[in-house]
């Protein structure tokens, strides 16, 4: 009986030791996972070894930028960077900056796994197909260059559902920049260069005709869009980032009767654009067209979106900024 009693005690102790060992192993593994995922300064290894990426994040103007029928600027960049960078189009038609921030988690690659990812990795399949909308599942290297191109929808008049107040618009842009450049962000990518792009001008007469055609209220004005373009430039200057002033570029072309879509290198500099606010001034030089609508038709398809010449102009402006700010990114 004593022998059986001793064997029983030995078995219990062995089982307890095995259970304790299993628990300690689980704690150790969890600690290793947590240490990698929770520290904002530890960048997890990329799941996908690949080319550097150029990520274009914007609204419908960006989404349509892959359309070859209108020389889409994103498609032009993809051709320009063939075998040098993978160009990703993350333009979402109809989106303003508030909606864009809501899907940043599905657009910007995660360089660090957040703490919640450890459990959600198990539970996520129960809610939806895992990573269905993500740019990359797991972690990946941040984009080498990110174009942020919003404002055309935010600048809608206050009664429109897409309208975003000017102050909020500026804050939303700052949050996008911070998402990539803040060490505490799960998207932190210090090697990512950011280029902000202002919305293009609105061809008021063209847009009014398009709205009447679709029997909707006129919800955009060029004068209002200019204030949002100015906000983009202000955020860029505050953040020490370069920007493409597309609003001023098209205004300069329209009011100076320029129809060439590839400006000279000197004209791509923002301080050398001359915005012709006065039609009379342009007329005195003999350069203005009789109808501003005709001028905007050179670059806009409906008074809001870019046509082939507008896309070509934007492509040249982007390439010019890349060459002047990051020549090592020029293929």
């Amino acid at each position: 009986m004593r022998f059986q009693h001793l064997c029983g005690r030995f078995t219990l102790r062995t089982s307890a030791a095995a259970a304790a060992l299993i628990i300690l192993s689980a704690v150790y593994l969890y600690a290793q996972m947590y240490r990698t995922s929770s520290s904002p300064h530890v960048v997890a290894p990329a799941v996908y070894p690949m080319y550097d990426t150029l990520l274009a994040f914007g609204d419908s103007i960006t989404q349509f930028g892959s359309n070859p029928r209108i020389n889409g600027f994103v498609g032009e960049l993809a051709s320009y960077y063939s075998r040098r960078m993978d160009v990703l189009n993350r333009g979402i038609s109809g989106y303003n900056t508030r909606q864009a921030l809501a899907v940043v988690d599905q657009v910007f690659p995660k360089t660090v796994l957040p703490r919640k990812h450890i459990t959600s990795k198990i539970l996520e399949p129960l809610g939806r197909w895992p990573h269905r909308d993500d740019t990359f599942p797991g972690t990946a290297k941040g984009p080498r260059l990110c174009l942020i191109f919003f404002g055309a929808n935010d600048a809608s008049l206050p009664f429109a559902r897409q309208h975003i107040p000017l102050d909020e618009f500026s804050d939303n842009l700052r949050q996008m920049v911070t998402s990539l450049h803040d060490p505490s962000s799960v998207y932190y990518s210090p090697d990512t260069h950011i280029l902000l792009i202002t919305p293009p001008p609105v061809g008021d007469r063209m847009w009014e005709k398009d709205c009447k055609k679709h029997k909707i209220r006129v919800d955009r004005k060029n004068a209002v869009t200019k204030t949002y373009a100015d906000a983009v430039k202000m955020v860029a200057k505050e953040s020490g980032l370069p920007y493409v002033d597309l609003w001023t570029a098209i205004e300069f072309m329209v009011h100076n009767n320029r129809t060439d879509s590839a400006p000279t290198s000197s004209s791509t500099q923002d301080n050398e654009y001359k915005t012709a606010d006065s039609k009379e001034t342009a007329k005195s030089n003999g350069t203005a067209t009789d109808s501003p609508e005709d001028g905007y038709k050179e670059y806009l398809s409906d008074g809001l979106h870019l046509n082939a010449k507008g896309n070509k102009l934007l492509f040249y402006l982007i390439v010019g900024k890349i060459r002047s700010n990051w020549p090592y990114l020029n293929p």
Side-chain angles (χ1 to χ4, degrees), residues 116-127:
K116 65 179 181 180
H117 185 83
I118 300 170
T119 54
S120 64
K121 191 174 182 180
I122 300 172
L123 300 176
E124 188 178 31
L126 301 177

Side-chain angles (χ1 to χ4, degrees), residues 15-330:
S15 300
L21 183 61
I22 292 172
I23 293 172
L24 288 173
S25 299
V27 170
Y28 174 78
L29 290 174
Y30 180 85
Q32 292 300 310
M33 294 171 65
Y34 179 77
R35 184 180 67 179
T36 301
S37 61
S38 63
S39 173
H41 302 290
V42 179
V43 177
V47 176
Y48 299 93
M50 57 188 301
Y51 289 132
D52 286 335
T53 57
L54 187 160
L55 176 64
F57 190 27
D59 49 38
S60 58
I61 302 178
T62 301
Q63 180 175 326
F64 301 159
S66 291
N67 188 344
R69 291 178 296 180
I70 56 172
N71 295 332
F73 76 95
V74 180
E76 292 286 329
L77 287 169
S79 175
Y80 188 69
Y81 279 104
S82 179
R83 297 179 57 202
R84 294 296 181 268
M85 280 202 288
D86 290 327
V87 177
L88 304 178
N89 188 332
R90 292 299 180 267
I92 311 174
S93 182
Y95 268 41
N96 54 34
T97 51
R98 184 186 299 166
Q99 294 167 315
L101 282 176
V103 298
V104 157
D105 193 56
Q106 300 169 13
V107 175
F108 290 164
K110 301 177 186 67
T111 57
V112 179
L113 291 177
R115 181 177 181 179
K116 65 179 181 180
H117 185 83
I118 300 170
T119 54
S120 64
K121 191 174 182 180
I122 300 172
L123 300 176
E124 188 178 31
L126 301 177
R128 68 174 179 90
W129 186 259
H131 312 299
R132 177 172 57 87
D133 300 317
D134 294 358
T135 295
F136 301 105
T139 60
K141 183 169 60 175
R144 191 75 169 113
L145 176 61
C146 182
L147 311 180
I148 299 179
F149 186 13
F150 287 96
N153 293 323
D154 300 70
S156 300
L157 300 181
F159 65 83
R161 62 180 179 82
Q162 293 173 307
H163 170 75
I164 297 295
L166 190 60
D167 288 345
E168 182 184 347
F169 170 69
S170 299
D171 288 339
N172 291 343
L173 288 179
R174 293 187 187 98
Q175 287 187 54
M176 293 180 193
V177 171
T178 301
S179 294
L180 292 170
H181 284 177
D182 185 353
S184 65
S185 170
V186 294
Y187 317 106
Y188 177 54
S189 180
D191 295 328
T192 295
H193 299 298
I194 299 176
L195 180 63
L196 299 184
I197 305 174
T198 75
V202 174
D204 287 332
R205 294 185 185 180
M206 291 181 67
W207 186 243
E208 183 178 350
K209 286 184 178 180
D210 192 77
C211 289
K212 287 181 178 179
K213 177 182 176 181
H214 294 92
K215 298 180 180 179
I216 59 176
R217 187 176 174 185
V218 178
D219 59 354
R220 288 170 173 83
K221 293 292 182 182
N222 192 28
V224 175
T225 298
K226 182 185 186 301
T227 64
Y228 283 73
D230 290 341
V232 173
K233 294 188 288 184
M234 180 188 68
V235 171
K237 291 174 181 177
E238 289 176 355
S239 306
L241 300 174
Y243 59 88
V244 168
D245 189 357
L246 183 59
W247 190 93
T248 301
I250 292 180
E251 284 290 315
F252 175 78
M253 295 293 197
V254 169
H255 292 283
N256 287 275
N257 201 21
R258 295 278 297 278
T259 59
D260 51 318
S261 58
T264 61
S265 58
S266 61
S267 66
T268 60
Q269 302 303 313
D270 299 314
N271 60 352
E272 295 186 9
Y273 281 124
K274 298 177 182 178
T275 306
D277 294 323
S278 171
K279 185 177 178 182
E280 286 71 24
T281 300
K283 271 188 174 181
S284 65
N285 295 327
T287 57
T289 58
D290 290 335
S291 173
E293 179 185 343
D294 296 336
Y296 287 111
K297 277 185 176 179
E298 292 290 333
Y299 302 97
L300 304 175
S301 61
D302 55 3
L304 177 66
H305 299 93
L306 300 177
N307 61 15
K309 281 188 177 180
N311 273 288
K312 203 72 174 179
L313 172 63
L314 177 55
F315 167 72
Y316 282 116
L317 291 172
I318 291 172
V319 169
K321 286 295 179 179
I322 293 172
R323 288 175 177 172
S324 60
N325 289 277
W326 312 294
Y328 44 86
L329 292 184
N330 190 52

